[in-house]
Amino acid sequence: DGGITQSPKYLFRKEGQNVTLSCEQNLNHDAMYWYRQDPGQGLRLIYYSQIVNDFQKGDIAEGYSVSREKKESFPLTVTSAQKNPTAFYLCASSIDMDRGRDEQYFGPGTRLTVT
Amino acid sequence: GDSVTQMEGPVTLSEEAFLTINCTYTATGYPSLFWYVQYPGEGLQLLLKATKADDKGSNKGFEATYRKETTSFHLEKGSVQVSDSAVYFCALSDLRGSTLGRLYFGRGTQLTVWP
């Protein structure tokens, strides 16, 4: 079955540590996205990538980094510079970013808790 | 800039009641419009979409019509079930702006259906 996998489902880290969240898709989609979800705030875009080896900052990129070395993988690193990293992180992908092919498919999410 | 405004929740209904969740948007171009649903602890699932004015998206008994004159995309269902309890997100994708193809989400509306 095609889909998006995120691992792990729950992640715990100490303050000051960097942590990398995994996102893999086997849908053969060109575009991939990372969102952060906090209670009552909807989804906020962190980074997105339209194609391999290219990515752009979203609305809240500070304290995060990404890479896109393979089409199917788009890992997100939450660095120690992120002031409030505890949140639910969602990865998504779409065929590309053109009309009619821009609907996004989401992974199950990773809940990160930093203490 | 582009944005989506959803009616605030929570919305609480009895089983078989009629559901409306209001969504209005602001966009500089000609957006595609989406409704996503999120069940507790999970990622988002695409519920329905519309890509041009007067289009009606429908799925699982839910419907929404793209109204350009009122810049709205209200979600409706004639008879809700307990299993419809979830958070619903309205979103738009504007393909004519500088932020090509990215989604803008509303804050989400929590729906609870009681038996």
Side-chain angles (χ1 to χ4, degrees), chain A residues 64-85:
Chain A
Y64 300 97
S65 66
V66 294
S67 62
R68 187 84 188 278
E69 297 176 0
K70 299 187 295 182
K71 186 175 185 177
E72 58 270 23
S73 179
F74 192 41
L76 173 74
T77 297
V78 184
T79 75
S80 57
Q82 168 50 234
K83 298 303 180 191
N84 186 19

Side-chain angles (χ1 to χ4, degrees), chain B residues 11-29:
Chain B
V11 174
T12 303
L13 295 172
S14 298
E15 205 164 27
E16 299 184 3
F18 185 85
L19 168 71
T20 300
I21 300 177
N22 290 340
C23 171
T24 57
Y25 67 89
T26 301
T28 54

Side-chain angles (χ1 to χ4, degrees), chain A residues 35-53:
Chain A
Y35 294 91
R36 171 181 172 137
Q37 186 177 24
D38 296 283
Q41 292 200 43
L43 276 72
R44 293 183 288 171
L45 183 65
I46 305 172
Y47 269 97
Y48 63 102
S49 168
Q50 296 188 53
I51 201 165
V52 175
N53 293 322

Side-chain angles (χ1 to χ4, degrees), chain B residues 14-47:
Chain B
S14 298
E15 205 164 27
E16 299 184 3
F18 185 85
L19 168 71
T20 300
I21 300 177
N22 290 340
C23 171
T24 57
Y25 67 89
T26 301
T28 54
Y30 302 92
S32 297
L33 299 172
F34 306 86
W35 276 101
Y36 282 85
V37 59
Q38 184 180 34
Y39 299 99
E42 298 183 7
L44 275 67
Q45 301 174 24
L46 179 65
L47 183 58

